[in-house]
């Protein structure tokens, strides 16, 4: 039977999309450390908003291949395995859409052997039709949020509930950081970083 974390999860403030984060990731992890064993705490800390591999306990949260549906384990990291697989498909689709517009070959920039997920593909294509970059990214984060929401009813107070909470919190923190300070200055910085990233990718990984 999975360990329950009722007192911890019940004490956490509700997260609402488009609302400021009610606590930071550091505060969340500090609260969790009193209830969660060291192995699972490491897993919780290692979660990222942009996974490029499926988390795994036995292999230090890394494994060589992207699992198929049959490979997804039923332990208490299953939701994060599914979410990582979904996110990888989402990003692969975004890469292919962008490459098609540029007339480039996308496969050099995709995660190889990733499992196709129709809902992730649909979310990416729907967001890709939005012309405003900020609204496009918000649509993608809404899709991520909705995917995570789909697991909450069956994972209310176990370890997976904490993982879902952490992923949602990272989404809120991302938007809070963008709202902080001067919006125009933040946009300029983001544009500059994007341009440098493109230039670096073109120089180091030119698509032929």
């Amino acid at each position: 039977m999975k360990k329950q974390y009722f007192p911890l999860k019940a004490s956490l403030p509700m997260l609402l999309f488009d609302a400021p984060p009610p606590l930071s990731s550091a505060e969340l992890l500090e609260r969790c450390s009193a209830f969660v064993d060291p192995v699972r705490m490491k897993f919780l800390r290692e979660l990222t908003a942009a996974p490029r591999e499926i988390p795994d306990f036995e292999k230090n949260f890394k494994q060589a291949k992207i699992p198929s549906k049959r490979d997804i384990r039923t332990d208490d990291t299953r939701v994060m395995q599914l979410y990582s697989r979904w996110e990888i498909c989402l990003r692969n689709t975004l890469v292919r859409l962008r490459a098609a517009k540029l007339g480039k070959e996308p496969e050099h920039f995709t995660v190889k052997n990733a499992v196709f997920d129709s809902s992730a593909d649909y979310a990416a294509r729907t967001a890709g039709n939005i012309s405003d970059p900020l609204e496009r990214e918000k649509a993608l984060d809404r899709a991520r949020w909705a995917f995570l929401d789909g697991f909450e009813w069956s994972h209310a107070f176990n370890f997976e509930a904490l993982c879902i909470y952490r992923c949602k919190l990272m989404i809120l923190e991302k938007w809070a950081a963008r709202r902080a300070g001067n919006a125009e200055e933040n946009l300029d910085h983001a544009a500059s970083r994007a341009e440098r990233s493109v230039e670096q990718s073109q120089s180091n990984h030119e698509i032929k």
Side-chain angles (χ1 to χ4, degrees):
M1 180 190 235
K2 293 183 180 180
K3 181 177 179 181
Q4 300 292 302
Y5 299 92
F6 184 89
L8 171 59
K9 184 62 169 57
S11 73
L12 297 176
M14 182 180 294
L15 301 180
L16 299 174
F17 191 81
D18 267 343
L23 74 169
S24 67
S25 282
E27 291 171 325
L28 172 65
L29 294 172
E30 177 63 28
R31 291 193 190 188
C32 290
S33 64
F35 294 84
V36 182
D37 65 82
V39 173
R40 286 170 176 76
M41 274 306 303
K42 182 179 179 183
F43 183 89
L44 203 57
R45 290 191 182 96
E46 292 289 329
L47 291 177
T48 172
R52 290 185 62 84
E53 59 192 2
I54 304 297
D56 187 85
F57 272 148
E58 280 70 21
K59 299 177 182 178
N60 295 319
F61 317 111
K62 297 180 180 179
Q63 58 187 43
K65 68 185 182 70
I66 305 300
S68 68
K69 286 184 178 181
R70 290 192 300 262
D71 296 321
I72 293 293
R73 301 207 319 264
T74 57
D75 60 17
D76 56 3
T77 67
R78 182 175 183 273
V79 171
M80 287 298 100
Q81 292 177 61
L82 290 169
Y83 178 61
S84 297
R85 190 183 69 182
W86 185 92
E87 174 71 20
I88 289 167
C89 179
L90 178 83
R91 289 176 176 271
N92 277 356
T93 301
L94 291 172
V95 167
R96 293 186 179 107
L97 291 173
R98 179 63 175 163
K101 289 182 179 179
L102 298 174
K104 302 292 186 180
E105 170 57 50
E107 296 311 314
H108 182 73
F109 299 97
T110 60
V111 175
K112 304 300 184 291
N113 303 317
V115 174
F116 178 80
D117 186 292
S118 59
S119 68
D121 182 77
Y122 176 79
R125 293 181 185 279
T126 301
N129 292 324
I130 301 174
S131 58
D132 183 275
L134 194 65
E135 291 303 315
R136 182 167 60 245
E137 187 163 358
K138 186 168 288 188
L140 291 170
D141 279 340
R142 283 188 185 277
R144 293 178 174 107
W145 194 280
F147 184 84
L148 293 166
D149 266 348
F151 293 102
E152 284 200 316
W153 69 272
S154 58
H155 299 281
F157 298 106
N158 58 20
F159 178 69
E160 290 178 299
L162 301 178
C163 294
I164 292 169
Y165 192 96
R166 171 126 163 81
C167 288
K168 284 186 167 184
L169 184 59
M170 285 190 285
I171 292 174
L172 296 185
E173 287 179 317
K174 179 180 77 174
W175 288 99
R178 294 188 178 186
R179 285 192 292 264
N182 185 290
E184 184 175 352
E185 183 178 337
N186 288 342
L187 183 59
D188 288 341
H189 286 325
S192 297
R193 287 196 300 270
E195 288 176 1
R196 288 195 298 271
S197 177
V198 169
E199 290 171 357
Q200 184 176 5
S201 294
Q202 288 175 339
S203 62
N204 294 339
H205 304 287
E206 182 178 359
I207 301 178
K208 299 182 180 179

